[in-house]
Amino acid sequence: MAVVGSGFGGLGAAVRLRREGVTDFVVLERADSVGGTWRDNSYPGCACDVPSHLYSFSFAPNPDWPRTFSGQEHIRAYLEHVTDVFGLRPHLRLNCEVKRMTWDGERLCWDIETSGGRLSADVVVSATGPLSDPRIPGIPGIDSFPGKVFHSARWDHDYDLRGKRVAMVGTGASAAQIVPEIQPQVAHLTLFQRTAPWVLPRVDRAISGVERWLHRRLPVTAQARRGFLWGIRELQVQAFTKHPRELGLVEQMAKRNMARAVKDPVLRAKLTPDYRIGCKRILLSNTYYPALTRPNVDVVASGLAEVDGSTVIAADGTRAEVDAIVFGTGFHVTDLPIADRVVGADGRTLAETWADSGMKSLRGASAAGFPNWMTIIGPNTGLGNSSMILMIESQLNYMADFVRQLGALGGRAALDARPGAVDAWNRRVQDRMRRTVWNTGGCTSWYLDADGRNTTIWPGTTTEFRNVTRRVNLAEYEVLRAPGAGAHETGTTETGKTKTGTTKTGTTKTGTTETGTTETTKVEAGA
């Protein structure tokens, strides 16, 4: 097996594979260390907006988180610690970027071309994540800008911003953390705001030594803390997914938060969003608004449209002279770059397959026509209010059962998601999406693709997702056998609640697994 990426998803997959008894696997990482987005994003003020005890693996609790919302350096150290504790170093292939992955239908395996050579794998787990490739908009004249230009996810620590005139482009989560950190240092800061964000107070504090001691001595206390944080967010989900009007009270809280910090009515008008809270990611900060009121900060309520020499020009005509441009413009989320590098059974790339319909996969994991290829944090698995680690662990459960099912089938086999099953799953997800605040809140966000489809967010609770990814339902897959394979007797194999009976070329009897039930279903084997 080959795992692509070494962030939370990739390392979690590696741990789970070892627990399933799979040791013949590699983790392919293009960088020189693990950490994923928490390695790449090292900008000033970088921190998580999910509480630390919820933003960690359930199987690797950390009793020593220093703050309720931990910074990037602590999260990255945690991932390094997980790598060491679970013995993952021998599986890592660092500085090894995946260039191409091509399905071989004759051999039923993936041929993988990397910067470090070629290899083949029976199964590929893609854990590159949606926040891995920065998106910089094509701004006319940017190539001729004489100063410094970089993205927040590729922060240039060798460039000193002190005393410089800086343009910050974007007002998302990264910008809300960067602005308060650099504002006291720069000569002048011009913030280009295309859309005003909703900002709530950040209830952050240092976790006391007594609390950490208690979590070490009595792990159940850390579990209770995690459970409480999880439960609160589960209760919030309906307001986002079914009853967006209930978010009006939260909007009033956000407006009061702004009013306390921003006294100037003109500036306050610029900073007041015109869409329902929750439609875009809600930001948490106690310092963002105060920083915007400082004399050396200008807020331009318009996007950056053009660069002329050292002059940056907004869409509304506002001009400013700057020495550096920092883009906080997000990532390629709905057009995942990895999709251009994956070639399926019909010779088309995943990007070409998704070109017309948008990203879609079965239970966020399997795309039709791409056998034995799975994603961690795939389409419609994102969250708007809770911890992505919960979703990752659910997908790891699904991955583990996928591997068990392949083992139970015996011989040279592959599983390919049926197009009908993928379409049916996607229809159910999109039907539920229609009522959510992400689709009805009146904003344009990175949750939506170029055609307005929400292909990123899960429209339910993490509990629901855990239940629908607990087992692989083989009726949703086509079982592929190598051409010319003879009859293979597997006997009777118990895999959880799934029984695999006698397997012969042409037909395969497997268990159809659903929560709490086991039925016998006949699945036609493909060529």
Side-chain angles (χ1 to χ4, degrees), residues 97-346:
E97 181 177 5
V98 171
K99 301 292 188 180
R100 196 84 166 168
M101 292 183 280
T102 305
W103 175 249
D104 186 329
E106 295 290 323
R107 295 161 52 227
L108 294 189
C109 69
W110 286 94
D111 289 322
I112 306 172
E113 178 187 350
T114 78
S115 58
R118 294 178 177 272
L119 64 147
S120 63
D122 300 316
V123 180
V124 171
V125 179
S126 178
T128 57
L131 306 182
S132 56
D133 289 272
R135 187 183 68 84
I136 296 181
I139 305 295
I142 190 70
D143 292 338
S144 61
F145 179 68
K148 192 70 176 179
V149 179
F150 54 88
H151 191 278
S152 59
R154 300 292 184 268
W155 195 270
D156 190 339
H157 291 278
D158 294 328
Y159 184 76
D160 191 354
L161 290 176
R162 285 178 296 182
K164 301 294 196 305
R165 299 166 300 175
V166 180
M168 180 77 221
V169 184
T171 53
S174 298
Q177 295 177 343
I178 293 169
V179 166
E181 291 293 319
I182 67 173
Q183 174 272 320
Q185 305 172 17
V186 302
H188 195 86
L189 177 63
T190 304
L191 177 67
F192 287 86
Q193 171 191 274
R194 189 177 59 180
T195 308
W198 286 103
V199 184
L200 288 172
R202 184 182 181 88
V203 187
D204 187 24
R205 65 173 180 83
I207 298 177
S208 69
V210 172
E211 290 173 277
R212 284 181 277 171
W213 176 86
L214 190 62
H215 292 335
R216 284 194 299 270
R217 296 296 296 270
L218 294 173
V220 68
T221 60
Q223 294 170 8
R225 186 174 194 156
R226 179 185 176 92
F228 174 76
L229 294 168
W230 165 79
I232 290 296
R233 282 154 180 78
E234 290 290 273
L235 293 174
Q236 295 171 347
V237 170
Q238 288 215 26
F240 287 84
T241 59
K242 296 181 180 179
H243 310 292
R245 290 184 179 179
E246 294 179 0
L247 293 166
L249 179 60
V250 185
E251 280 187 12
Q252 293 305 313
M253 294 171 56
K255 287 180 179 179
R256 285 197 295 271
N257 180 50
M258 185 195 305
R260 283 193 295 268
V262 183
K263 305 303 181 184
D264 179 2
V266 176
L267 179 57
R268 195 185 306 165
K270 286 183 180 180
L271 299 176
T272 301
D274 60 358
Y275 57 89
R276 174 67 73 188
I277 194 170
C279 185
K280 295 169 75 78
R281 183 96 183 176
I282 301 172
L283 308 186
L284 303 179
S285 178
N286 301 325
T287 55
Y288 180 62
Y289 285 145
L292 299 184
T293 66
R294 299 296 186 257
N296 67 333
V297 178
D298 285 328
V299 177
V300 179
S302 182
L304 179 62
E306 184 182 352
V307 177
D308 182 9
S310 60
T311 303
V312 288
I313 307 170
D316 65 359
T318 303
R319 304 167 74 92
E321 294 290 319
V322 299
D323 304 305
I325 303 174
V326 179
F327 284 96
T329 46
F331 301 84
H332 289 277
V333 175
T334 59
D335 55 342
L336 297 176
I338 192 67
D340 288 311
R341 307 183 184 195
V342 185
V343 182
D346 62 358

Side-chain angles (χ1 to χ4, degrees), residues 401 404-405 407-409 471-472 474 490-503 508-514 517-523:
D401 198 51
R404 291 188 210 114
Q405 297 289 0
L409 286 169
R471 294 283 187 272
V472 168
L474 282 183
T490 65
T492 302
T493 306
E494 285 280 345
T495 307
K497 292 188 176 181
T498 303
K499 289 185 178 181
T500 302
T502 303
T503 304
T508 304
K509 287 187 177 182
T510 72
T512 299
T513 306
E514 297 178 355
T517 62
T518 304
E519 300 174 357
T520 300
T521 302
K522 188 176 184 180
V523 182

